[in-house]
């Protein structure tokens, strides 16, 4: 009887609170996305010390009159999530917003940044398949294909803007992973003369390996629309492939 009362009373109330929390989890991602789009982390970090909202707003590009109230609401959530710090307003002095270790991962152009991945994961085209998960359970199939009428690789090849967002995201996470691998696996590549990365995207991972081990001849294989946007890396050759059979033909013999 006591168990039933707990479930009907306090247990159900706590469960309701949890459901509300999950319902609004998307707000965290959207606030992070807006911070990346507005370059909030870049503005704060560039000053080297905490700044007020007015100074932050003045640094937002392509906006002659930013809405301070809206910006304050976004910052309130990001401070609560510990993305930024705040020193409360006192004696007529504006509240000051500062950086954290987490905000460093939102910087544009940083060697190690998660900003590109965050933009991909919150892009409306990447989120659209999530609305088809129940359809996949009922009917089978691939969620991305149900949302966009084609699989992701074909979609990327026909949509240059999304292709860039996707490749930038893959590149940023590849650099993060390879930095860790290169640090912990220092001598593991010493005996390697050449290395092939199949489906290596724009070559970020291979670029990190060859940068640390310049004796390696790096070969990066991927689809034509991916290779078309790949930057040059010293010691890395980009090769287009359209199918596995072509890869097997082109792959260097040992």
């Amino acid at each position: 009887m006591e168990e039933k009362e707990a479930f009907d009373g306090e247990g159900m109330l706590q469960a309701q609170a949890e459901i509300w929390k999950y319902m609004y989890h998307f707000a965290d991602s959207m606030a992070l996305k807006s911070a990346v789009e507005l370059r909030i982390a870049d503005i704060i970090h560039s000053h080297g010390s905490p700044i007020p909202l007015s100074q932050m707003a003045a640094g937002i590009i392509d906006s002659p009159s930013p809405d301070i109230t809206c910006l304050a609401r976004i910052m309130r959530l990001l401070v609560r999530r510990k993305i930024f710090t705040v020193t409360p307003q006192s004696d007529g002095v504006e509240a000051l917003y500062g950086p954290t270790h987490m905000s460093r991962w939102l910087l544009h152009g940083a060697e190690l940044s998660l900003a590109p991945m965050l933009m991909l994961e919150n892009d409306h085209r990447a989120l659209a398949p999530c609305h088809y998960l129940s359809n996949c359970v009922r009917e089978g199939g691939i969620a991305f294909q149900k949302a966009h009428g084609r699989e992701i690789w074909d979609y990327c090849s026909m949509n240059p803007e999304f292709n860039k967002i996707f490749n930038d995201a893959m590149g940023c996470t590849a650099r993060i992973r390879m930095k860790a691998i290169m640090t912990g696996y220092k001598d593991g590549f010493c005996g390697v003369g050449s290395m092939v990365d199949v489906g290596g995207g724009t070559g970020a991972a291979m670029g990190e390996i060859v940068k640390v081990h310049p004796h390696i001849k790096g070969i990066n294989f991927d689809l034509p629309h991916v290779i078309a946007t790949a930057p040059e890396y010293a010691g890395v050759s980009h090769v287009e492939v359209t199918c596995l059979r072509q890869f097997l033909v082109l792959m260097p013999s040992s």
Side-chain angles (χ1 to χ4, degrees), residues 165-182:
I165 292 172
F166 183 88
N167 290 333
D168 287 349
M170 297 299 104
C172 86
T173 54
R175 280 187 288 275
I176 293 169
R177 288 195 303 271
M178 294 314 301
K179 283 285 184 184
I181 291 172
M182 291 295 100

Side-chain angles (χ1 to χ4, degrees), residues 58-102:
I60 297 174
I61 59 175
D62 301 325
S63 179
S65 55
D67 189 323
I68 298 291
T69 301
C70 185
L71 178 60
R73 289 170 178 164
I74 292 171
M75 292 304 295
R76 188 182 308 143
L77 176 56
L78 294 176
V79 165
R80 187 172 181 81
R81 296 295 182 256
K82 304 185 186 305
I83 307 298
F84 299 101
T85 63
V86 64
T87 302
Q89 182 176 359
S90 63
D91 300 326
V93 179
E94 288 186 76
L96 300 176
Y97 295 86
T100 67
H101 289 305
M102 281 197 282

Side-chain angles (χ1 to χ4, degrees), residues 7 9 41 45 66 69 77 101 121 129 141 146-147 208 221 223:
F7 183 76
H45 281 264
T69 301
L77 176 56
H101 289 305
E121 293 300 327
K146 287 179 179 291
E208 291 296 326
F221 282 98
L223 297 169

Side-chain angles (χ1 to χ4, degrees), residues 12-208:
M12 285 298 286
L13 188 61
Q14 181 60 37
Q16 180 191 168
E18 290 295 311
I19 293 297
W20 279 105
K21 181 178 72 175
Y22 293 127
M23 262 197 290
Y24 283 101
H25 259 342
F26 73 91
D28 293 344
S29 293
M30 292 299 106
L32 276 171
K33 180 188 179 188
S34 68
V36 171
E37 291 175 328
L38 296 169
R39 295 177 177 263
I40 299 300
D42 299 82
I43 294 170
I44 292 176
H45 281 264
S46 67
H47 282 81
S49 60
I51 60 174
L53 275 177
S54 57
Q55 195 170 356
M56 192 189 306
I60 297 174
I61 59 175
D62 301 325
S63 179
S65 55
D67 189 323
I68 298 291
T69 301
C70 185
L71 178 60
R73 289 170 178 164
I74 292 171
M75 292 304 295
R76 188 182 308 143
L77 176 56
L78 294 176
V79 165
R80 187 172 181 81
R81 296 295 182 256
K82 304 185 186 305
I83 307 298
F84 299 101
T85 63
V86 64
T87 302
Q89 182 176 359
S90 63
D91 300 326
V93 179
E94 288 186 76
L96 300 176
Y97 295 86
T100 67
H101 289 305
M102 281 197 282
S103 65
R104 290 184 179 277
W105 288 100
L106 303 181
L107 295 171
H108 289 78
E111 184 180 9
L112 299 179
S113 173
L114 282 171
M117 177 56 79
L118 194 145
M119 293 305 295
L120 170 65
E121 293 300 327
N122 290 283
D123 186 278
H124 65 94
R125 291 157 292 195
L127 287 172
C130 296
H131 294 281
Y132 290 83
L133 296 180
S134 57
N135 294 66
C136 289
V137 173
R138 292 190 182 100
E139 308 163 359
I142 300 170
F144 195 96
Q145 190 168 22
K146 287 179 179 291
H148 298 291
R150 61 190 73 249
E151 292 191 19
I152 188 168
W153 312 119
D154 290 335
Y155 186 85
C156 285
S157 69
M158 300 175 68
N159 293 269
E161 182 195 359
F162 185 74
N163 182 50
K164 184 178 187 317
I165 292 172
F166 183 88
N167 290 333
D168 287 349
M170 297 299 104
C172 86
T173 54
R175 280 187 288 275
I176 293 169
R177 288 195 303 271
M178 294 314 301
K179 283 285 184 184
I181 291 172
M182 291 295 100
T183 300
Y185 196 55
K186 295 179 181 178
D187 301 324
F189 296 98
C190 292
V192 177
S194 63
M195 182 176 293
V196 178
D197 191 352
V198 182
T202 54
M206 185 61 71
E208 291 296 326

